[in-house]
Amino acid sequence: MNDEWICGRLGEDEPWTLGAVNPPVFENSLFTFATAGELGEAIRNEDERYVYWRGTNPTVDLAQRKLAALERGERAKCFGSGMGAIAATISSLVSAGDHVLVLGAVYGPTTQFLRYLEKFGVTHTHVSDLAECDSAIRERTRLLYFESPSYMAYAIVDIAEVAAWARGRRGLVTVMDNTWSTPLFQKPLTLGVDLVVHSLSKYVGGHSDLVGGVVIGPSRLIRPLALTEYQLYGAAMSPHDAAKVIKGLRTLPVRMPAHQERGLAVARFLAGHPGVREVNHPGLPSHPGHAIALRQMSGFSSLFSVELATDETDQVAIFLDKLRHFRIGVSWGGFESLVNAPALTTEESVRATMGIPAGLVRLSVGLEPADTLIEDLDEALKAIKGVNGMTDRSSREKDLSPQVHPN
């Protein structure tokens, strides 16, 4: 079964849909039973049976089945937000006195949550590479958490190598955030990762009208999480949001190649521009992790960062304010192009810890025409102090032509 069929049709021809082209949205908060015995049996298996909205329902279950199939996982559990999925997943794997290894830069609130767990006796250590993992691992290390591409810097991790290292170190559980690539462009479970998390608010939803998250993996890890942390934290996905996930998945195989094409076009333009010091896009051959990315990914999304040729935050603000087609805002992965600058929203000490320079700007390239977005960026870059004109674009693009995966 290929990904396009999973996204568009998996589970949608079953009797419970009654032939509806859009699967029904089950709005009821509870389900009733013919006998007390049936109720008791359902509650004991509430991770699979329909009892109460906080557990699951048919609409949410269909979204979960599709997402699990896309990631080649046994089971999935959808949450009311990406952080709901991340918090429940980490909590399910650690106890007081345990230790977590964090490899590379990860989503800021994930680090905040790990700091929050310190008051319950769970510690963590950030490391930059696998060599540092060897020296940072402890007797009570239980979990290795990472992203690839990494947060803001978009560095590439050799997923199979990291997963093999973790298995060889007392069977550490690996959890990877795969939101950047979506299940279409990267499948970490097939490379040895134990659990994968996603923010469904991004490319999967695709229309900036949904907040949701999911964790995917083997039943031996998903079932206890579903019965305990999912139920107790109460971060349940609503059936209406699940319906948006299902609709987003239907067009995901069409949208992602379009995001890839536009994202690479913009990245190529920015590479070598006098107003830009560096472009952090793993789809460019100049990216340090490009070769590994080609090996473990089947495509590239359109979220990346650039370092402007300035260390002055007021110049960064001018650049953002000059943009007309890139909207200023958080989040990413929707149809609209967005821009954000950590220097304007994050404390300097926090940025220093994460290695984020003052001139770093994150771009989420949407589905508008690439030429329109490039013209917008060019005009905004000219406003940066000390930038005068442009270099020869045609020669620059020839040298930086990326290898685009077939889709």
Side-chain angles (χ1 to χ4, degrees):
M1 189 179 300
N2 64 32
D3 288 347
E4 288 81 3
W5 179 267
I6 293 169
C7 287
R9 294 291 297 276
L10 177 68
E12 298 195 18
D13 297 325
E14 295 175 359
W16 69 273
T17 67
L18 300 177
V21 67
N22 291 316
V25 178
F26 282 72
E27 295 183 317
N28 49 294
S29 62
L30 60 89
F31 294 80
T32 59
F33 300 86
T35 68
E38 289 181 9
L39 172 61
E41 192 274 335
I43 289 178
R44 287 189 294 273
N45 297 279
E46 198 170 350
D47 61 315
E48 296 179 329
R49 296 289 302 276
Y50 307 132
V51 178
Y52 186 64
W53 185 333
R54 195 178 64 186
T56 190
N57 78 8
T59 312
V60 177
D61 189 48
L62 177 57
Q64 292 173 164
R65 290 166 56 196
K66 286 176 175 286
L67 291 164
L70 280 175
E71 279 283 11
R72 307 300 188 259
E74 289 180 1
R75 293 186 62 179
K77 195 64 184 172
C78 284
F79 289 76
S81 70
M83 271 312 300
I86 291 169
T89 300
I90 293 174
S91 298
S92 73
L93 298 169
V94 296
S95 302
D98 286 346
H99 175 251
V100 178
L101 275 177
V102 182
L103 175 61
V106 299
Y107 181 47
T110 302
T111 300
Q112 288 179 304
F113 179 71
L114 288 168
R115 289 173 181 163
Y116 173 80
L117 287 181
E118 289 176 358
K119 73 183 202 176
F120 301 107
V122 176
T123 59
H124 68 280
T125 302
H126 278 268
V127 294
S128 59
D129 55 38
L130 212 49
E132 289 187 14
C133 284
D134 277 319
S135 59
I137 193 170
R138 304 177 185 174
E139 183 65 29
R140 293 288 298 272
T141 303
R142 298 286 182 262
L143 165 65
L144 176 63
Y145 189 99
F146 67 105
E147 300 181 14
S148 184
S150 66
Y151 181 64
M152 286 293 178
Y154 306 103
I156 295 296
V157 173
D158 188 323
I159 299 173
E161 181 183 24
V162 168
W165 178 91
R167 284 194 304 273
R169 297 301 190 276
R170 301 189 305 277
L172 298 186
V173 176
T174 46
V175 179
M176 180 182 150
D177 188 327
N178 194 36
T179 306
W180 192 93
S181 297
T182 81
L184 293 186
F185 285 168
Q186 187 166 251
K187 301 184 188 299
L189 297 179
T190 67
L191 298 173
V193 169
D194 295 303
L195 291 169
V196 169
V197 293
H198 286 271
S199 169
L200 301 174
S201 317
K202 310 306 192 278
Y203 289 115
V204 171
H207 296 85
S208 300
D209 60 355
L210 159 71
V211 174
V214 67
V215 55
I216 307 165
S219 293
R220 63 180 177 83
L221 295 176
I222 297 295
R223 187 166 197 268
L225 182 158
L227 288 171
T228 306
E229 283 77 17
Y230 183 88
Q231 292 279 3
L232 294 178
Y233 287 4
M237 171 169 279
S238 76
H240 284 282
D241 283 337
K244 290 179 180 179
V245 170
I246 293 167
K247 289 182 180 179
L249 286 173
R250 288 179 172 180
T251 60
L252 188 65
V254 178
R255 287 186 287 109
M256 290 312 297
H259 277 296
Q260 173 178 246
E261 177 187 2
R262 288 158 175 78
L264 283 169
V266 171
R268 291 172 62 197
F269 167 77
L270 292 171
H273 190 287
V276 176
R277 288 177 182 159
E278 188 171 7
V279 178
N280 302 309
H281 191 310
L284 294 179
S286 57
H287 189 281
H290 183 66
I292 297 174
L294 289 175
R295 186 169 72 241
Q296 65 191 21
M297 301 164 69
S298 60
F300 303 102
S301 73
S302 61
L303 181 75
F304 62 98
S305 63
V306 299
E307 185 181 352
L308 302 181
T310 181
D311 297 315
E312 301 176 21
T313 56
D314 63 331
Q315 293 295 304
V316 175
I318 289 171
F319 170 75
L320 265 62
D321 290 344
K322 288 291 184 180
L323 291 167
R324 292 294 174 262
H325 296 290
F326 279 85
R327 301 181 185 182
I328 302 172
V330 300
S331 197
W332 44 273
F335 60 92
E336 74 286 0
S337 292
L338 295 170
V339 62
N340 190 13
L344 305 180
T345 59
T346 307
E347 293 182 11
E348 185 175 353
S349 60
V350 176
R351 288 193 288 107
T353 300
M354 298 176 65
I356 296 176
L360 192 77
V361 170
R362 186 181 73 182
L363 299 174
S364 174
V365 177
L367 297 177
E368 303 93 339
D371 287 347
T372 300
L373 299 176
I374 288 171
E375 182 179 354
D376 192 27
L377 289 164
D378 188 28
E379 289 301 314
L381 285 167
K382 290 176 182 177
I384 298 177
K385 184 171 59 179
V387 176
N388 298 307
M390 293 178 54
T391 57
D392 181 18
R393 177 181 170 189
S394 60
S395 62
R396 188 169 61 252
E397 287 184 344
K398 181 178 180 181
D399 294 338
L400 294 169
S401 298
Q403 294 175 256
V404 180
H405 289 281
N407 295 289

